[in-house]
């Protein structure tokens, strides 16, 4: 565990949910409101008025040459907020390889160099003003928004950077792809998020890829009876056969992580509601996707979120709530000079 300077109380999080049936757990709205104190739209309007413009320019330039960055930044933001809150602790390096980014769930994160590029550009304009936590929040929004050439949601700013990053906390706090619905629901409820957020933010899986080793247990010998063709019955049979063909290496070595598959077939670079169409057709890649259909309330939301307008409208609200988790504001934390290291 790496500890330097100040810590801070923070939260967790990850994927999240939708509209119409608004299920908020007791006290959750109060938690979110308390955590959001100090955040506001246009926080840098006076102290660094070009900050968001600079961040968007750098991110859009990079995403234009590498569209896969949108999924990478969105996932990075989820994983940052889920462990210690949205404090950029996922960006910190550790000489002993014990920071969050060294934990198994984070080994496939990418795009750190672009975050540093944004930070350097903003520092040249306004030294010591804009936090890495806010830069990551902006990068997630701007990368996903690039295909639409407009901002899909407003980002509240005013976060400060944490000084603690632990691989063990990441292992403990990031839900696994095998998480069941009750487990996911309990995790999000504890952090001020509800069932609605769980379903909506799961829609982030409309972009990006999944490693075969994270879901191959659904494809081969599912019941443990030594039958290689034994698949998870909750999977669409034709989709299961497709995945088996893509992940054949994992029949011999379940831990092989060299093969990846698009999480949203036919739409893996487009941020849209297609994930929910596939999910309803029993084409959710991970157990944590498929499990959304095991709860009546969540399944009803899946149906409604197949509408692109409904999905985008609710996503902007859920990711705003996610971005409020465990934030450091005011005199807490620091403004790092570089995003991968605490200030000396």
């Amino acid at each position: 565990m790496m500890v330097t300077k100040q810590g801070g109380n923070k939260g967790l999080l990850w994927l999240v949910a939708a509209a119409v049936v608004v299920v908020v757990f007791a006290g959750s709205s109060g938690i979110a409101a308390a955590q959001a104190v100090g955040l506001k739209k246009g926080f840098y309007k006076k102290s660094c008025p070009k900050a968001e413009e600079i961040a968007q320019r750098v991110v859009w330039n990079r995403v234009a040459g590498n569209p896969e960055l949108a999924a990478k930044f969105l996932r990075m933001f989820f994983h940052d907020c889920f462990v210690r809150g949205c404090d950029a602790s996922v960006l910190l390096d550790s000489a002993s390889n014990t920071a969050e980014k060294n934990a198994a769930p984070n080994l496939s994160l990418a795009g750190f160099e672009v975050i540093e590029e944004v930070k350097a550009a903003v520092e040249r304009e306004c030294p010591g003003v804009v936090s890495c936590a806010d830069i990551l929040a902006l990068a997630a929004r701007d990368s996903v928004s690039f295909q639409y050439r407009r901002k899909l949601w407003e980002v509240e700013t005013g976060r400060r950077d944490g000084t603690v990053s632990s691989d063990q906390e990441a292992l403990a706090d990031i839900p696994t792809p095998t998480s069941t619905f009750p487990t996911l629901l309990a995790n999000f409820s504890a952090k001020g998020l509800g069932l609605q957020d769980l379903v909506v933010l799961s829609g982030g899986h409309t972009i990006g890829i999944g490693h075969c080793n994270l879901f191959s247990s659904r494809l081969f010998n599912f019941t443990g009876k030594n039958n290689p063709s034994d698949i998870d019955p909750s999977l669409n049979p034709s989709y299961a056969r497709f995945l088996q063909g893509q992940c054949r290496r994992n029949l011999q070595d379940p831990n092989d992580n060299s093969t990846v598959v698009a999480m949203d077939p036919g739409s893996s670079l487009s941020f849209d509601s297609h994930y929910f169409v596939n999910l309803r057709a029993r084409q959710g890649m991970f157990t944590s996707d498929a499990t959304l259909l095991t709860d009546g309330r969540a399944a009803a939301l899946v149906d409604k979120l197949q509408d692109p307008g409904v999905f985008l409208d609710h996503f902007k609200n859920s990711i705003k709530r996610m971005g409020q988790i465990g934030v450091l504001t005011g005199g807490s934390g620091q403004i790092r000079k570089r995003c991968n290291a605490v200030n000396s």
Side-chain angles (χ1 to χ4, degrees):
M1 180 173 183
M2 180 175 69
V3 181
T4 61
K5 313 224 179 201
Q6 318 171 47
N9 293 327
K10 319 195 175 166
L12 312 177
L13 194 257
W14 188 40
L15 301 161
V16 157
V20 187
V21 181
V22 180
V23 181
V24 180
F25 288 82
S28 65
S29 59
I31 293 172
Q35 292 173 332
V37 172
L39 296 184
K40 67 178 183 178
K41 178 182 175 181
F43 180 85
Y44 300 109
K45 185 176 181 178
K46 294 182 179 180
S47 59
C48 191
K50 294 184 179 180
E52 294 194 27
E53 175 187 336
I54 293 170
Q56 178 182 282
R57 182 171 66 248
V58 174
V59 170
W60 278 21
N61 180 58
R62 289 298 185 177
V63 175
N66 182 6
E68 293 181 357
L69 281 173
K72 297 181 187 302
F73 288 140
L74 190 58
R75 182 168 177 252
M76 189 186 294
F77 187 42
F78 285 160
H79 284 211
D80 182 49
C81 291
F82 199 80
V83 183
R84 297 195 147 263
C86 310
D87 70 335
S89 53
V90 74
L91 304 178
L92 287 171
D93 289 336
S94 165
S96 57
N97 293 323
T98 55
E100 287 176 32
K101 63 170 58 173
N102 302 116
N106 289 333
L107 292 177
S108 57
L109 293 181
F112 294 105
E113 73 285 354
V114 180
I115 300 297
E116 293 291 354
E117 183 180 353
V118 176
K119 176 63 172 175
V122 173
E123 283 292 298
R124 286 192 293 270
E125 178 73 17
C126 313
V129 174
V130 181
S131 70
C132 296
D134 280 340
I135 287 174
L136 179 53
L138 291 168
R141 189 271 308 279
D142 292 340
S143 60
V144 171
S145 298
F146 176 73
Q147 73 176 85
Y148 293 92
R149 302 301 194 277
R150 63 180 176 85
K151 298 176 181 179
L152 291 184
W153 64 88
E154 291 293 341
V155 174
E156 294 179 317
T157 45
R159 299 169 186 80
R160 289 172 64 85
D161 300 322
T163 58
V164 178
S165 188
S166 164
D167 58 341
Q168 295 304 305
E169 290 183 1
L171 285 171
D173 294 343
I174 298 174
T176 69
T178 58
S179 294
T180 61
F181 186 78
T183 298
L184 292 173
L185 200 55
N187 288 337
F188 295 106
S189 176
K191 301 308 166 185
L193 299 174
L195 181 149
Q196 176 173 289
D197 298 313
L198 169 59
V199 181
V200 173
L201 291 181
S202 294
H205 281 179
T206 189
I207 52 176
I209 56 175
H211 291 259
C212 283
N213 63 305
L214 298 179
F215 58 88
S216 61
S217 61
R218 304 183 70 199
L219 307 176
F220 309 110
N221 194 28
F222 177 70
T223 60
K225 297 180 179 179
N226 295 317
N227 179 2
S229 60
D230 182 16
I231 66 171
D232 183 344
S234 68
L235 272 172
N236 179 302
S238 61
Y239 181 57
R241 288 192 294 272
F242 165 74
L243 292 178
Q244 284 181 325
Q246 298 294 307
C247 302
R248 186 58 59 180
R249 287 173 177 264
N250 296 85
L251 177 60
Q252 303 300 324
D253 180 8
N255 296 316
D256 183 277
N257 67 350
S258 62
T259 306
V260 296
V261 184
M263 290 191 289
D264 188 356
S267 183
S268 64
L269 293 178
S270 179
F271 191 79
D272 53 33
S273 62
H274 197 246
Y275 164 84
F276 296 101
V277 176
N278 282 338
L279 187 58
R280 179 45 83 182
R282 296 163 55 208
Q283 295 181 31
M285 176 174 286
F286 302 115
T287 298
S288 56
D289 296 317
T291 195
L292 298 179
L293 298 179
T294 64
D295 178 86
R297 299 161 299 170
L301 287 170
V302 168
D303 290 340
K304 296 180 185 304
L305 290 168
Q306 293 178 50
D307 181 287
V310 173
F311 168 58
L312 292 177
D313 187 54
H314 287 86
F315 189 87
K316 69 181 182 182
N317 294 324
S318 286
I319 199 165
K320 178 181 178 180
R321 284 191 287 271
M322 188 186 85
Q324 298 171 346
I325 296 294
V327 294
L328 298 175
T329 59
S332 299
Q334 62 181 214
I335 303 296
R336 293 183 209 144
K337 296 177 181 178
R338 292 186 298 116
C339 290
N340 66 343
V342 298
N343 298 337
S344 57

